[in-house]
Amino acid sequence: MTMSASGRYFARYSLLLLWLHTGLVSLWELHGQSLGLLQTAGLGGPLAMAVILAGAGLDLLLGAALWRWHTRPVYRLAGLAMLLMTLVGSALLPTLWLHPLGPLSKNLAVGALLYLLHEDVSPS
């Protein structure tokens, strides 16, 4: 299966912008919404800061990798990271599945796009 060039472009760049945006906003809101969300889940102090910084760093790295490479390993890594973040978010705050803006449910669409991009890459 191959995507059109424009389909590949929009799929890749929408995902990389999503990850870059999420990483930057997580840092911007480090002492605001990011920390507040984890405090709601019962995490605080240095552990909460470490979780936020690790998540933001991973988001930024994934965004940069998606910008730089159209390869199966990048899509696999992004899928694994998305799955891990979804599981952690579900464990810490399962009510996020009921949030009207879909902070966790959006990952279903992210996973579908990653799968399509993964399959679009010619096997080596």
Side-chain angles (χ1 to χ4, degrees), residues 18-30 34 38 48-64 85:
L18 174 72
W19 262 301
L20 291 175
H21 178 264
T22 303
L24 292 172
V25 168
S26 294
L27 294 174
W28 182 270
E29 286 292 321
L30 183 62
S34 296
L38 289 179
M49 287 295 152
V51 168
I52 295 165
L53 293 173
L58 181 57
D59 286 339
L60 294 170
L61 286 172
L62 287 171
M85 289 184 198

Side-chain angles (χ1 to χ4, degrees), residues 15-106:
L15 287 176
L16 81 85
L17 289 173
L18 174 72
W19 262 301
L20 291 175
H21 178 264
T22 303
L24 292 172
V25 168
S26 294
L27 294 174
W28 182 270
E29 286 292 321
L30 183 62
H31 297 285
Q33 293 181 68
S34 296
L35 183 58
L37 192 62
L38 289 179
Q39 286 173 335
T40 301
L43 292 178
L47 178 58
M49 287 295 152
V51 168
I52 295 165
L53 293 173
L58 181 57
D59 286 339
L60 294 170
L61 286 172
L62 287 171
L66 287 167
W67 170 75
R68 180 67 179 91
W69 298 289
H70 176 58
T71 64
R72 286 185 171 192
V74 169
Y75 297 123
R76 287 182 192 135
L77 178 63
L80 184 62
M82 181 270 302
L83 182 61
L84 176 66
M85 289 184 198
T86 302
L87 291 173
V88 169
S90 296
L92 292 176
L93 285 167
T95 56
L96 289 177
W97 281 101
L98 302 175
H99 194 286
L101 297 179
L104 291 179
S105 60
K106 74 169 175 15

